[in-house]
Amino acid sequence: MPHISVKMLEGRSEEQKKRLAAALVRALTEELHCSDHYVTCTVEDYSAVEWQTVFQREIAEKPVHVVYKKAEYNPKSLL
């Protein structure tokens, strides 16, 4: 039922990604009062070049009412 999708620049270890996923699932289940039995989580890595497209599609083009935390940086600064 709830799904968490994390998209980020490459460079984190598998252990970091596993800890992140566990922490996010824990926070979600506590906040929504649901079992982790129903929660899924993906973590996807992107290069800085790939991130330009991801940022545009997943953040910039999304309706304002679904972006709960806006970027405080210009994605081109990552290149």
Side-chain angles (χ1 to χ4, degrees), residues 7 15 26 28 30 32 43 54 62 72 76 78-79:
K7 295 174 170 91
E15 187 57 38
R26 200 167 36 254
L28 184 143
E30 289 173 8
L32 298 183
V43 178
V54 173
K62 292 284 186 182
E72 297 176 20
K76 295 199 184 312
L78 303 173
L79 296 173

Side-chain angles (χ1 to χ4, degrees), residues 3-79:
H3 174 70
I4 302 165
S5 176
V6 177
K7 295 174 170 91
M8 62 186 178
L9 288 181
E10 58 196 356
R12 276 75 172 202
S13 70
E14 283 301 308
E15 187 57 38
Q16 286 175 306
K17 293 179 212 177
K18 288 176 183 177
R19 285 194 314 265
L20 172 64
L24 290 171
V25 169
R26 200 167 36 254
L28 184 143
T29 58
E30 289 173 8
E31 186 63 32
L32 298 183
H33 306 287
C34 68
S35 167
D36 66 357
H37 175 79
Y38 298 102
V39 180
T40 55
C41 181
T42 58
V43 178
E44 299 174 76
D45 291 329
Y46 296 92
S47 70
V49 171
E50 293 170 321
W51 184 250
Q52 305 306 303
T53 302
V54 173
F55 185 92
Q56 189 64 32
R57 181 183 66 236
E58 298 289 328
I59 301 164
E61 293 177 359
K62 292 284 186 182
V64 177
H65 71 277
V66 300
V67 180
Y68 284 86
K69 169 63 173 84
K70 295 181 182 182
E72 297 176 20
Y73 70 98
N74 181 334
K76 295 199 184 312
S77 68
L78 303 173
L79 296 173

